[in-house]
Amino acid sequence: MTETFLELKDIYKSFGGVQALKGVDLTIRSGEIHCLAGENGSGKSTLIKVISGAHDPSQGEIYIEGSKVSRFSPIQAIEHGIQVIYQDFAIFPNLTVAENIAMNRAVSTGAKIMDWNCAKKLALEAMEQIGARMDPDILVENLSVANRQMVAICRTIINDAKLLILDEPTAALTSKEVQKLYTILRCLRDKKIAVMIVDHKLGEVFEIADRLTILRNGEKISTGLIQEYDRKRFVKDLTGRDISESTYIPSTSDDEVFRVENLSRKGAFENISFTIKKGDVLGITGLLDSGRGQIGDALFGIHPAQSGEIFLHGKPIKIRSTTDAVKNRIAYVPEDRLTQGLFLDRSIQDNTIAASIKKYFIRGRLDERIMFKETQEWIKKIGCVAPSPDPAIRTLSGGNAQKIVIAKWLNTKPALLILNGPTVGVDIGAKYDIHRMLHQLAEQGIGIIVISDDLPELIQNCNSIIIMKNGRIAGTVESSTINETELAEMLSSQ
Amino acid sequence: MQKLINIFKKTDRIALALLVCSIGITIIMGVSHPKFLGKSNLQGMLIQIPEYGILAFGMMIAMIAGGIDLSLVGIANLSGIVAAVVMRNLNGTDFSIFPAILAALMVGCLCGLFNGWIIGYLEIPAMLVTLCGLQLYTGIALMITKGPAITGLPESFSNIANGTFAGIPIGALVFVLITLVLCYLLYATVYGKCVYLMGTNTIASRFSGINNLKITMLTYAISGIFGSLAGILMASHYNSAKSDYGTSYTLLTLLIAVLGGVNPNGGRGRVQGVVMSIILLQLVSSSFNILRVNAFVKTFAWGLILLLIMTATYLIERRQSRD
Amino acid sequence: MNNRIKNFLTTNEMIVVYIIIGLAILIGSVNPAFNSISTVVNLSRTMLVTLIFAMCEMIVIVSGGIDVSFPAIACLAMIATGNIMLKNHIDSVPVAFIMGALIGASLGTLNAVLIAIVKMPSLIATLGVSSMTSGATLAIFGAKIITNLPGKLDKLYKVSLFSYTNADGITYSLTILILIPILICLLGWLLLKFTMFGRGIHAVGGDIRAARIAGFNVKGILFFVYILSGTMAGIAGVTYMILMRAADPSVLMGSEMMVIAAVVMGGTRITGGHGTVIGTILGVTLIALVKNNLIMLGVPAHFQTFVVGLIMIIGTSITSLKAKHVANSVKV
């Protein structure tokens, strides 16, 4: 029997009247990999911040190794051996690997002199412990994301971590890198370190977790050994709904909307060909390094393809820049909403009209009144919860903001709409709205491409799915003939 | 009446605060020193405002785009010199003024395009580029003049800044015209909308299909043209052109922009605020002159006001975020 | 290993070295008088104060900021020290330097408060402080140049490390003041490379949020950086006064452009986090070489500003593009 490292009892936390956590219990034992799963807005990040001492719970008790702690601060959390690796790793790109690994320890011991030899020795020891191999003298800015993560893990190891928390550690890793990370995590578990990962991808959770806790709307829904769960229960606890097996079946048509032939860009993708007919919703999936996102970037002219042909409604078009793409009525909802999709400080109206400003230049001036009116109409049409077009878009939730990003493009009357990760960080209700909207648009004759790693989303919403591997198309499947497990297997097979 | 209240509500708070300060200074100075409201002082103010006011507009537009333009004074002097050279080579006839002005504006536009291209295409920080630009343009100016000022410009040229039309200095009319043009550009054109969006988030504007390079180059070109306009006014005012006129204007224009509510991080700033801040600073400056305060104290005061305003904004914002 | 040599040969520092060598060969072939000890002496005289400025600017830029107030601070330190010493009949070299350093440190503190506590953009804060300082300097002390420095300061000017008389009988002597920038470079190198505080400066410049999480006292580091910069500017002002045997309240104004260009050319990234002492020395050397020898190359005096501007824009473009290339290159 393993011993309990951390125990949370009946934790409540509210922010200005909003209850983020409502009586959550959590037990983490030394030498286990505990998975914390939950959709966006379920309270995962708040819970992590409570554990790391960044937030004081409004109510509830925290026990570490059996003794109760009160007035928990980040420094205390570190002293107790609790280390969190956030998604951006909080490392220094301009410093060497060895320095990054040794830095926190040196700061906490109050050292005055930078001991390069000692730092290198520590770094090599830590890397050996987890089986990572990097040149300790190299600058971190030259490392890949996976290796940066290794640096972050090494740093926690030399700080004598007893509980290591990783926030969505696989989000930016390739499949090989994920496997390597898992090997390391298992190795840490065998050293009696408690590991908690935050994840909601079904396949990954079942592969790595020993125990599982599921949060929904700030409440703990269930917790238990991974063996007690099956796919169905996991999804049900996570979303509160049963798995729906329905898929999107378009009314068949032979009108070709969009066709791509032998599209290639060196280092990103090769020989990509596909056709979208009226009513089609095409899914493109693959692992992170498969080139799925790069296709979207290329079709919108961010990083244009170097060779290959593109046809819109049968006519050949050239896309060498974003200007070309917009001219040909291609729309792109990018992957990173906060930095690529939104002008956070600007009004909802500005965000809605950002891609179609020219339209409002009437008789020598921009007509703000029409902009306002049309924005109001869009808000109503897409079911966005917003009081008026005036407030800054940062006041909206993820789902509502994403709807505005889509409206921004619908306002350009696109011929082709490409969505890269359309429902990342979007709550269930808005997700459903967005999916329904996509089907309607497809029926109206707009070509739709959904690039995603959310397999259920693809199966339910696309009629055919392209699977990418190493920059090439590894296969195309009709979504009505496949289920999630089979698709996941196709993805991970070599 | 309702309409008036609406207009009042829409005017931003910064412009209002500056307006109140301006009125306050005018009243205090007008009562204590009647000379302050005298004709010569008023005309003096109207002659000075356009010079750095137009430069401040150039700074403002660059800052809205998320950059900064420290090369404005260099562009202004270079343009003034080019205008002077053109006029001299055409024997200083009255007719030579038009090609001279045209050449000056071209120079400003070219310098701006050069700045904009390096900033937008090579993606080098605007601060660094325009800092080097200042050196470069001043250097070219120096190459042309070989040091001393170019004098002996046609008299009608000096009338541009010093002459009046219906009792109002012509420079002031130019300034009003430029203000209107700027308002149109920023509030009523596609370019204006794009500049605010790009200043707010460069990446998102690219992902919205906005051509960032084009907007950046346009922005610095406009800024450069404003620089050359100011240069023409300066050359006309002194009736000579030199490579190191107005060196204190760089800080002054930055001060005006920040005081007028332009966000140094880009994306925010309105013409009304900047105009009010130009007027306020001119009032302060004239008061100093009338009170016979040392010119160096003015430099000190500019720095102090800049730092106080920034500190006040910080304190206000911190208070708001706490609520 | 081959790779390492290749990497070493293409560092920013080495590129500047190539340019310096190329330039030296060019100047030497046009004007054989260049190939003499006097060139070194003249060069070190030109570099002396610029190097002190460049060192403080480099440390500020590494911490992720920028400082344009140092010329104003140096001018104030110079003229204030000169005036106070003359008025009170103080005649002591250490007092002069201590006074200059204290004046610099207090203005540096003002910069630090504005940047670390009020969180102003460093360019605007130091520009404001610069304006206040230069305005105050001229308002208090007037525009008059002091040329009758106290005896001991004047005497220090004549102390030289070594002198050399050429065939024509002209004597060149390397002033002892050169030890000041050498000492500052040495201490700066030790600070940046071998103390936790120095690494903290790098950390803050690399990622200020991560530095906070790592437990660095970010405010303390920023305070230190700007106070250090102010102090060094003050010392530079006094050094300049001794070197020129005069105190001029506005002579250094405008030199910030040149200093920033020298620092950036030496491989310091304007975005913060990267910068070396050697690179800074090389950057300053390059600019000084150009400034001193354009006339030897037959470039007229009034072309100098332009040529320096051209070198600045090319140099900064190369280093900025190089940094961008690193960001886009394939990761390991």
Side-chain angles (χ1 to χ4, degrees):
Chain A
M1 190 56 207
T2 50
E3 54 192 284
T4 303
F5 174 75
L6 174 83
E7 198 172 0
L8 302 184
K9 276 189 185 157
D10 208 24
I11 298 288
Y12 280 85
K13 175 77 196 171
S14 61
F15 297 100
V18 180
Q19 282 285 347
L21 294 175
K22 304 169 207 164
V24 173
D25 299 324
L26 180 72
T27 319
I28 297 174
R29 300 174 188 149
S30 296
E32 74 167 2
I33 296 177
H34 194 107
C35 181
L36 181 66
E39 296 205 303
N40 291 86
S42 59
K44 282 180 303 187
S45 30
T46 314
L47 188 61
I48 293 178
K49 286 195 175 138
V50 168
I51 299 174
S52 68
H55 284 336
D56 251 349
S58 333
Q59 196 184 316
E61 291 165 341
I62 302 174
Y63 295 86
I64 292 177
E65 293 179 306
S67 54
K68 185 177 169 183
V69 257
S70 52
R71 301 208 125 260
F72 201 44
S73 74
I75 295 165
Q76 272 186 310
I78 290 168
E79 276 167 8
H80 281 295
I82 296 175
Q83 294 272 346
V84 185
I85 298 178
Y86 292 102
Q87 271 175 298
D88 64 356
F89 311 139
I91 53 177
F92 303 102
N94 58 327
L95 303 183
T96 66
V97 169
E99 252 192 304
N100 263 293
I101 294 176
M103 185 71 92
N104 289 20
R105 167 115 147 216
V107 173
S108 63
T109 56
K112 294 273 175 281
I113 303 298
M114 176 70 208
D115 187 340
W116 288 91
N117 286 329
C118 170
K120 211 180 278 184
K121 215 180 85 206
L122 271 175
L124 287 173
E125 267 174 33
M127 283 192 267
E128 196 172 336
Q129 275 197 43
I130 63 166
R133 258 206 214 131
M134 281 173 280
D135 180 352
D137 292 326
I138 204 170
L139 292 186
V140 166
E141 66 183 0
N142 296 316
L143 295 182
S144 65
V145 179
N147 278 336
R148 288 179 196 207
Q149 191 175 48
M150 294 300 156
V151 171
I153 294 176
C154 286
R155 189 175 59 189
T156 61
I157 290 175
I158 69 158
N159 279 328
D160 304 318
K162 289 180 187 160
L163 167 61
L164 179 59
I165 301 172
L166 298 107
D167 190 4
E168 306 214 8
T170 60
L173 299 190
T174 65
S175 53
K176 250 191 212 152
E177 289 163 351
V178 170
Q179 287 312 317
K180 196 167 169 209
L181 173 70
Y182 285 167
T183 318
I184 290 167
L185 293 185
R186 288 191 189 107
C187 153
L188 292 177
R189 170 185 64 189
D190 297 342
K191 293 194 169 113
K192 291 287 164 210
I193 293 173
V195 177
M196 180 163 103
I197 56 172
V198 176
D199 204 335
H200 58 261
K201 288 188 197 151
L202 187 137
E204 289 178 354
V205 171
F206 278 91
E207 185 176 349
I208 185 73
D210 298 322
R211 275 186 340 122
L212 180 64
T213 296
I214 296 178
L215 293 185
R216 192 170 76 222
N217 295 332
E219 283 171 82
K220 188 195 79 178
I221 300 301
S222 65
T223 185
L225 293 171
I226 193 75
Q227 290 82 356
E228 296 165 17
Y229 286 85
D230 58 7
R231 254 167 41 85
K232 217 168 164 177
R233 178 173 170 208
F234 179 78
V235 174
K236 170 136 201 221
D237 285 357
L238 199 65
T239 64
R241 290 175 298 151
D242 283 313
I243 303 179
S244 113
E245 298 288 353
S246 72
T247 58
Y248 168 68
I249 298 164
S251 44
T252 50
S253 161
D254 282 335
D255 295 349
E256 178 189 297
V257 176
F258 189 72
R259 177 155 55 94
V260 165
E261 277 176 14
N262 298 321
L263 210 62
S264 300
R265 197 169 83 85
K266 222 177 146 199
F269 50 83
E270 242 180 299
N271 281 332
I272 304 297
S273 306
F274 58 80
T275 308
I276 298 175
K277 289 188 177 141
K278 191 180 170 197
D280 276 359
V281 176
L282 177 73
I284 299 181
T285 187
L287 300 162
L288 194 88
D289 54 342
S290 64
R292 63 175 153 94
Q294 280 90 332
I295 294 181
D297 286 354
L299 291 178
F300 189 65
I302 299 280
H303 302 292
Q306 287 151 335
S307 65
E309 284 164 287
I310 304 170
F311 299 88
L312 189 66
H313 293 297
K315 269 185 245 146
I317 57 170
K318 288 247 178 310
I319 293 171
R320 282 161 305 210
S321 66
T322 53
T323 318
D324 285 347
V326 172
K327 217 177 279 166
N328 286 301
R329 297 197 295 137
I330 292 175
Y332 187 41
V333 176
E335 191 171 19
D336 186 345
R337 184 167 56 240
L338 292 183
T339 60
Q340 300 172 336
L342 297 175
F343 301 93
L344 283 175
D345 286 325
R346 302 217 72 87
S347 65
I348 297 173
Q349 175 182 323
D350 277 356
N351 274 284
T352 312
I353 55 102
S356 45
I357 305 169
K358 279 195 188 105
K359 197 167 97 179
Y360 301 99
F361 193 68
I362 303 161
R363 278 187 235 113
R365 55 189 294 263
L366 282 182
D367 197 326
E368 295 269 348
R369 233 178 299 164
I370 301 184
M371 283 186 205
F372 189 85
K373 217 181 90 211
E374 291 196 2
T375 306
Q376 263 178 335
E377 281 165 17
W378 277 118
I379 288 175
K380 209 182 286 170
K381 211 185 288 179
I382 57 175
C384 171
V385 184
S388 91
D390 280 334
I393 197 138
R394 67 158 70 249
T395 58
L396 296 187
S397 71
N400 285 319
Q402 184 74 335
K403 285 179 181 172
I404 294 290
V405 177
I406 296 174
K408 167 175 85 180
W409 287 112
L410 295 184
N411 199 23
T412 65
K413 300 208 172 55
L416 175 72
L417 176 62
I418 306 163
L419 303 101
N420 196 349
T423 56
V424 174
V426 169
D427 54 288
I428 295 167
K431 201 169 171 173
Y432 175 73
D433 288 347
I434 289 173
H435 290 156
R436 213 184 36 186
M437 197 165 17
L438 293 183
H439 297 160
Q440 283 167 4
L441 294 169
E443 292 292 348
Q444 286 163 24
I446 298 176
I448 308 264
I449 299 177
V450 178
I451 302 170
S452 177
D453 59 351
D454 184 342
L455 302 184
E457 171 172 61
L458 289 168
I459 290 176
Q460 284 163 37
N461 297 294
C462 305
N463 52 327
S464 78
I465 300 168
I466 289 176
I467 297 162
M468 299 278 300
K469 258 177 214 167
N470 302 322
R472 290 165 175 279
I473 293 182
T476 307
V477 292
E478 294 294 314
S479 53
S480 49
T481 63
I482 196 165
N483 68 30
E484 198 186 323
T485 326
E486 290 162 357
L487 188 58
E489 268 164 23
M490 285 178 73
L491 266 180
S492 52
S493 70
Q494 287 306 309
Chain B
M1 193 61 207
Q2 190 59 37
K3 229 179 185 178
L4 215 68
I5 291 171
N6 273 344
I7 291 172
F8 191 72
K9 267 184 188 163
K10 268 194 179 166
T11 320
D12 57 335
R13 266 189 240 159
I14 295 166
L16 272 178
L18 294 171
L19 184 67
V20 170
C21 289
S22 302
I23 293 172
I25 290 178
T26 314
I27 292 173
I28 293 171
M29 285 305 294
V31 169
S32 61
H33 293 76
K35 226 168 71 185
F36 188 77
L37 293 173
K39 194 183 168 202
S40 71
N41 188 46
L42 288 181
Q43 268 192 353
M45 283 201 267
L46 288 179
I47 288 174
Q48 278 165 18
I49 282 180
E51 278 175 27
Y52 61 83
I54 295 177
L55 283 181
F57 284 154
M59 181 66 87
M60 171 197 182
I61 204 169
M63 280 171 87
I64 289 174
I68 194 165
D69 194 346
L70 302 173
S71 69
L72 276 165
V73 175
I75 296 179
N77 284 322
L78 180 58
S79 313
I81 286 164
V82 167
V85 168
V86 169
M87 277 185 283
R88 279 213 340 201
N89 285 345
L90 293 173
N91 300 322
T93 56
D94 284 354
F95 169 74
S96 68
I97 293 174
F98 296 101
I101 289 177
L102 213 62
L105 293 180
M106 286 272 283
V107 166
C109 183
L110 283 178
C111 293
L113 284 174
F114 179 70
N115 283 343
W117 184 76
I118 296 193
I119 294 164
Y121 188 76
L122 302 182
E123 291 173 29
I124 297 172
M127 195 193 80
L128 212 54
V129 173
T130 54
L131 205 59
C132 294
L134 175 63
Q135 179 92 7
L136 201 63
Y137 307 141
T138 311
I140 298 174
L142 208 55
M143 266 162 67
I144 299 173
T145 62
K146 302 193 172 62
I150 301 181
T151 51
L153 305 179
E155 202 178 305
S156 43
F157 179 68
S158 98
N159 274 340
I160 297 177
N162 302 318
T164 56
F165 181 82
I168 301 166
I170 295 172
L173 295 174
V174 173
F175 178 70
V176 172
L177 185 72
I178 295 298
T179 309
L180 293 176
V181 168
L182 186 65
C183 281
Y184 174 73
L185 273 177
L186 285 180
Y187 303 145
T189 63
V190 178
Y191 161 78
K193 204 80 189 171
C194 289
V195 121
Y196 278 105
L197 289 176
M198 188 182 82
T200 310
N201 183 347
T202 326
I203 301 170
S205 75
R206 185 156 175 241
F207 274 88
S208 298
I210 293 171
N211 189 339
N212 283 350
L213 176 60
K214 195 171 106 189
I215 300 294
T216 307
M217 286 180 69
L218 261 174
T219 301
Y220 285 92
I222 293 170
S223 169
I225 290 173
F226 284 175
S228 61
L229 273 171
I232 294 167
L233 287 174
M234 263 149 66
S236 159
H237 184 185
Y238 300 119
N239 205 18
S240 65
K242 195 163 180 266
S243 57
D244 58 358
Y245 280 153
T247 39
S248 64
Y249 281 172
T250 304
L251 179 89
L252 194 60
T253 50
L254 196 64
L255 166 62
I256 290 170
V258 173
L259 191 63
V262 181
N263 187 337
N265 299 322
R268 249 185 294 168
R270 304 192 71 77
V271 178
Q272 40 192 325
V274 174
V275 169
M276 279 320 302
S277 112
I278 293 170
I279 293 172
L280 175 63
L281 283 187
Q282 183 57 53
L283 289 172
V284 173
S285 175
S286 291
S287 311
F288 278 4
N289 288 345
I290 283 187
L291 296 172
R292 294 186 187 287
V293 176
N294 187 328
F296 305 128
V297 175
K298 223 194 273 180
T299 321
F300 174 79
W302 290 161
L304 187 66
I305 294 173
L306 176 67
L307 297 179
L308 286 180
I309 293 289
M310 293 287 287
T311 311
T313 325
Y314 164 74
L315 291 176
I316 291 167
E317 271 179 15
R318 200 179 61 173
R319 195 185 228 172
Q320 278 175 349
S321 68
R322 268 195 197 151
D323 289 345
Chain C
M1 207 57 212
N2 244 334
N3 224 350
R4 283 224 165 156
I5 293 170
K6 203 182 142 201
N7 278 342
F8 172 71
L9 291 177
T10 55
T11 52
N12 273 313
E13 283 91 344
M14 287 314 286
I15 291 172
V16 181
V17 168
Y18 303 146
I19 299 175
I20 290 175
I21 292 173
L23 212 58
I25 293 172
L26 183 71
I27 300 168
S29 61
V30 173
N31 190 339
F34 177 77
N35 305 316
S36 70
I37 293 269
S38 64
T39 306
V40 179
V41 172
N42 281 336
L43 202 61
S44 44
R45 232 182 103 91
T46 315
M47 283 174 62
L48 215 155
V49 172
T50 318
L51 191 54
I52 307 179
F53 282 152
M55 277 300 295
C56 62
E57 185 68 68
M58 187 265 283
I59 294 177
V60 171
I61 293 181
V62 166
S63 79
I66 194 152
D67 185 351
V68 293
S69 64
F70 57 84
I73 295 177
C75 283
L76 175 62
M78 163 164 47
I79 198 86
T81 310
N83 261 308
I84 294 169
M85 290 181 78
L86 280 178
K87 260 185 204 139
N88 301 307
H89 306 289
I90 306 168
D91 185 5
S92 151
V93 173
V95 169
F97 277 104
I98 289 170
M99 219 187 288
L102 283 179
I103 292 170
S106 49
L107 286 164
T109 313
L110 179 58
N111 275 334
V113 169
L114 293 171
I115 292 161
I117 295 179
V118 184
K119 300 195 170 62
M120 255 186 229
S122 52
L123 177 70
I124 290 174
T126 53
L127 211 54
V129 169
S130 170
S131 176
M132 278 176 64
T133 311
S134 71
T137 308
L138 289 162
I140 297 169
F141 298 105
K144 218 184 87 207
I145 299 171
I146 305 174
T147 47
N148 54 331
L149 291 184
K152 278 187 184 151
L153 291 188
D154 215 26
K155 236 175 256 164
L156 186 64
Y157 167 76
K158 288 170 190 135
V159 180
S160 55
L161 280 181
F162 76 88
S163 12
Y164 156 85
T165 312
N166 73 355
D168 303 333
I170 303 167
T171 306
Y172 295 96
S173 40
L174 187 64
T175 163
I176 195 159
L177 292 173
I178 192 77
L179 291 180
I180 295 172
I182 290 177
L183 196 69
I184 287 177
C185 286
L186 203 66
L187 290 178
W189 176 65
L190 290 175
L191 170 80
L192 284 180
K193 184 90 185 175
F194 295 107
T195 67
M196 276 313 286
F197 213 83
R199 300 320 290 171
I201 296 174
H202 277 92
V204 170
D207 188 336
I208 194 162
R209 201 181 68 88
R212 223 169 265 138
I213 292 175
F216 282 108
N217 178 358
V218 172
K219 261 187 199 150
I221 287 174
L222 286 178
F223 257 83
F224 175 82
V225 165
Y226 286 97
I227 292 173
L228 180 74
S229 171
T231 311
M232 289 208 283
I235 292 174
V238 174
T239 312
Y240 191 84
M241 173 169 75
I242 298 171
L243 192 68
M244 294 296 153
R245 302 170 77 182
D248 182 333
S250 58
V251 65
L252 291 167
M253 296 306 291
S255 59
E256 65 272 14
M257 312 265 174
M258 196 85 80
V259 170
I260 292 171
V263 168
V264 172
M265 240 172 270
T268 303
R269 282 193 211 161
I270 196 84
T271 44
H274 296 263
T276 59
V277 174
I278 295 290
T280 307
I281 296 173
L282 290 170
V284 173
T285 311
L286 178 59
I287 294 263
L289 197 64
V290 173
K291 258 182 86 177
N292 271 11
N293 296 293
L294 277 178
I295 296 178
M296 278 199 187
L297 279 174
V299 180
H302 53 263
F303 275 54
Q304 284 202 14
T305 315
F306 172 72
V307 174
V308 172
L310 205 62
I311 291 177
M312 271 163 63
I313 205 148
I314 294 171
T316 47
S317 298
I318 291 174
T319 42
S320 300
L321 287 178
K322 230 175 152 240
K324 206 172 126 189
H325 178 75
V326 170
N328 292 336
S329 61
V330 180
K331 310 283 191 263
V332 288

